[in-house]
Amino acid sequence: MEKIGDLFKSSDWKKEKHVPVIECPEEVAAGELFQVKVTLGKEIPHPNTTEHHIRWIQLFFMPEGDNFPYQIGHFEFNTHGESVKGANEGPVYAEPKVIADFKIKVSGKFFAMAYCNIHGLWEGSTAITVK
Ligand code: FE
């Protein structure tokens, strides 16, 4: 492996709990406000403990015919049961799910990246058409 891209894993999200699943309309109008949801562990829940959890999800949009992707957001999940009482004794557990509202002018592809603190980097993608 020579590039960081080589470290990203992907798979069928129905069988692999680490793959970020992107849900959005198949088709939108140019400039129409719409919602994208990125979920990790949609079919098989990922553990959410102090020892094993998802740290972040990033969402990018790659417009068709463009040379560069646009980062829509970086979402950090910063609490997983940590507490002064000890691991998994805390009151808060952030779930690896993100909902973002925005608009686009051209068709393209969404790419999501996610990081599990012990199972590394994962990716998922989905296309969207501007009619
Ligand atoms: Fe994991």
Side-chain angles (χ1 to χ4, degrees):
M1 294 197 203
E2 294 183 355
K3 296 178 175 176
I4 191 160
D6 300 335
L7 301 178
F8 281 86
K9 294 182 163 78
S10 200
S11 187
D12 179 356
W13 61 267
K14 287 184 180 155
K15 296 185 191 131
E16 168 53 61
K17 63 180 178 285
H18 288 94
V19 178
V21 179
I22 305 167
E23 292 171 273
C24 65
E26 275 177 33
E27 226 179 54
V28 292
E32 173 191 346
L33 197 62
F34 66 98
Q35 199 166 76
V36 171
K37 183 159 96 173
V38 187
T39 315
L40 204 133
K42 185 173 160 60
E43 190 74 18
I44 310 162
H46 186 274
N48 189 359
T49 64
T50 306
E51 298 86 359
H52 185 191
H53 53 259
I54 301 304
R55 288 271 171 86
W56 52 255
I57 290 175
Q58 291 194 33
L59 182 63
F60 286 84
F61 182 64
M62 183 67 191
E64 237 171 55
D66 208 323
N67 288 324
F68 303 103
Y70 292 81
Q71 186 183 31
I72 292 164
H74 175 98
F75 309 92
E76 284 197 54
F77 309 106
N78 289 332
T79 183
H80 307 274
E82 297 90 334
S83 161
V84 290
K85 294 181 202 150
N88 302 304
E89 298 293 329
V92 187
Y93 296 78
E95 281 294 317
K97 182 192 288 186
V98 166
I99 294 173
D101 282 6
F102 50 92
K103 42 200 180 180
I104 54 177
K105 289 181 175 174
V106 294
S107 301
K109 206 164 181 184
F110 289 112
F111 290 92
M113 309 192 295
Y115 179 64
C116 168
N117 69 322
I118 57 177
H119 296 120
L121 295 161
W122 294 80
E123 65 176 88
S125 66
T126 195
I128 187 165
T129 303
V130 169
K131 54 191 169 191

